[in-house]
Amino acid sequence: MRRLLADPTAKLVTWRATPISYLSWSRSSGGLLLIGGTAVTGSGGEQPWQIIVKDVRYRPWTPDASQMVRQCDHGGDRPDDWGYWRREPQAVSAGLLASLPGVFRGPPWLGVERLDATRYRMWQGFVAGLPGESWAAGTLTAAAANLAVMHAQFLARPPAPRPWYCRSFVEQPALRARASYIDAVREAASDPRVRRLVPRALHRGLRRLWATHPLAVGWLRSVPQTLCHRDLHPGNLRQTSAGATVALDWAQVGVGPPGEDLATMLYCWALTAAVSPAEAVGAMAAAERRYYDGLPAVAGVARTAFRLTAAYHYGLPLGVQLGELLSLPAQRRAERVAGPRWRARLELAVQSVEAVQADLDLLTRGAALAGPTGAELSAP
């Protein structure tokens, strides 16, 4: 409390602890607690304060096939695996996240305690701001511009190498589980209601996407790298009244190409926002432009990395989405296809696969993709 108020003489007056309920796929999450109250400071008078206490714990896990296609953690415990439980405490303790710029930053970190061999407790200030779930298109665009500021900073001064940096989702083993459902796209097209929504070339495009995966990974590793959050879904984002963007939960922090984080932020917003697919595409395009304007020296790289990340992260699971549809009885299948949210998700995923085909063509031919200054960069 004193650290939050920046007053070593502050005296506690009142306090209350309230558990925070939230949906999390993370097996390392041990729960969140909101502690708030009032304190008398040296300047006189009572001041309110709020702190988030986050428990992080080691929990071994072996996912089954159905779980593997729905999230990113394959159960591995290597320091660069998606679910590595010590990553966020280590990032905070190392001071990595204290160097984030003011316009795109994390919460105020107040301390990290190691409770025992399998548990940490993290203390951070509560962040007041507009949650990502409530963002309109203009807020999304402003956040994209702020993200570009953060990426520009770490492109100019790359973070020191760390063994616990998270590999990108494009390199995670869970991707293979999603790729195993590609043929469900062709099977789903046998349903006339689905056929109208699925382009004839989609199955071929997805197979090509998976066949080109090693080349895409090589290219994504070869371009300039920056600090990446890797989990910028709406629940992890706040926009303050001063216009800053605050990203919560840095448990997947790592290094990757500019454009990777942007894909996660824009697609996760579009898939949950109460807008039509056309409105979502327009909002995403405006946010992309603002982001690339902030990174003129690497705009070409960022655009390509955005398309590749979007296609592997959101397009490749189309087989899973359509495979689940095939498993439903006829009546429920018809209801699902008629649902606007399901159709919007399908349309955005299809768009991501179509948009990356020219990049895959260049990679397959060993040609060149856009490089750091918009010039060409040979594919590895």
Side-chain angles (χ1 to χ4, degrees):
M1 177 267 294
R2 289 173 174 167
R3 194 170 300 170
L4 177 68
L5 297 175
D7 184 347
T9 68
K11 295 181 180 180
L12 184 67
V13 178
T14 64
W15 70 276
R16 180 181 180 183
T18 306
I20 299 175
S21 61
Y22 63 105
L23 177 65
S24 174
W25 283 100
S26 174
R27 60 187 161 112
S28 65
S29 176
L32 293 175
L33 196 65
L34 172 63
I35 305 177
T38 58
V40 175
T41 63
S43 58
E46 290 188 10
Q47 284 196 33
W49 56 271
Q50 288 183 303
I51 291 173
I52 298 292
V53 181
K54 180 178 183 178
D55 271 8
V56 179
R57 64 183 62 190
Y58 172 66
R59 184 180 292 130
W61 181 55
T62 302
D64 61 30
S66 65
Q67 292 167 324
M68 282 283 283
V69 300
R70 292 180 178 278
Q71 43 78 58
C72 306
D73 181 7
H74 72 293
D77 293 314
R78 292 185 352 179
D80 61 349
D81 282 334
W82 192 269
Y84 181 60
W85 71 284
R86 287 192 176 102
R87 185 175 294 114
E88 188 175 27
Q90 288 177 323
V92 174
S93 298
L96 172 67
L97 306 180
S99 60
L100 296 169
V103 296
F104 193 98
R105 59 180 187 264
W109 282 283
L110 305 175
V112 176
E113 295 179 85
R114 183 164 185 173
L115 303 179
D116 54 42
T118 62
R119 290 180 63 210
Y120 285 91
R121 180 164 292 155
M122 303 179 65
W123 302 76
Q124 62 191 50
F126 176 80
V127 177
L130 184 67
E133 298 95 335
S134 301
W135 287 4
T139 308
L140 183 72
T141 299
N146 292 342
L147 180 63
V149 173
M150 191 268 277
H151 284 167
Q153 173 180 307
F154 287 99
L155 283 164
R157 297 185 297 279
R162 306 281 184 178
W164 38 258
Y165 283 152
C166 185
R167 286 170 293 155
S168 74
F169 173 76
V170 174
E171 297 187 47
Q172 295 294 331
L175 201 68
R176 183 173 297 276
R178 301 183 184 195
S180 68
Y181 280 78
I182 287 175
D183 288 343
V185 173
R186 184 171 53 192
E187 297 169 24
S190 62
D191 186 320
R193 289 163 297 198
V194 179
R195 192 181 307 131
R196 295 192 298 270
L197 306 174
V198 178
R200 294 184 64 181
L202 181 62
H203 179 256
R204 183 171 66 251
L206 285 167
R207 293 187 66 86
R208 191 174 181 219
L209 180 67
W210 185 238
T212 315
H213 178 252
L215 294 174
V217 169
W219 185 86
L220 290 166
R221 289 178 178 176
S222 73
V223 298
Q225 305 286 289
T226 187
L227 192 73
C228 291
H229 180 282
R230 294 223 153 96
D231 197 17
L232 294 178
H233 65 78
N236 278 341
L237 291 165
R238 302 288 185 272
Q239 194 78 351
T240 72
S241 57
T245 304
V246 180
L248 310 174
D249 191 0
W250 290 76
Q252 275 72 49
V253 66
V255 294
E260 179 189 326
D261 266 346
L262 182 70
T264 305
M265 184 169 76
L266 299 193
Y267 272 86
C268 283
W269 176 87
L271 291 170
T272 57
V275 297
S276 69
E279 291 171 322
V281 169
M284 292 168 69
E288 277 192 77
R289 287 192 295 271
R290 283 291 299 277
Y291 177 83
Y292 302 138
D293 286 347
L295 297 168
V298 292
V301 163
R303 288 187 178 94
T304 304
F306 175 89
R307 291 191 295 267
L308 287 169
T309 301
Y312 285 107
H313 206 332
Y314 304 100
L316 193 63
L318 270 166
V320 178
Q321 183 180 359
L322 292 171
E324 291 175 346
L325 181 72
L326 290 174
S327 69
L328 298 176
Q331 181 60 36
R332 288 192 60 196
R333 189 186 305 179
E335 293 169 357
R336 178 73 59 86
V337 171
R341 293 307 308 161
W342 187 90
R343 292 168 68 101
R345 188 179 185 88
L346 182 76
E347 288 180 34
L348 288 167
V350 169
Q351 178 211 48
S352 74
V353 176
E354 293 177 334
V356 81
Q357 292 304 310
D359 301 308
L360 301 181
D361 186 49
L362 292 173
L363 284 170
T364 303
R365 297 201 327 253
L369 298 176
T373 59
E376 289 187 331
L377 183 72
S378 296

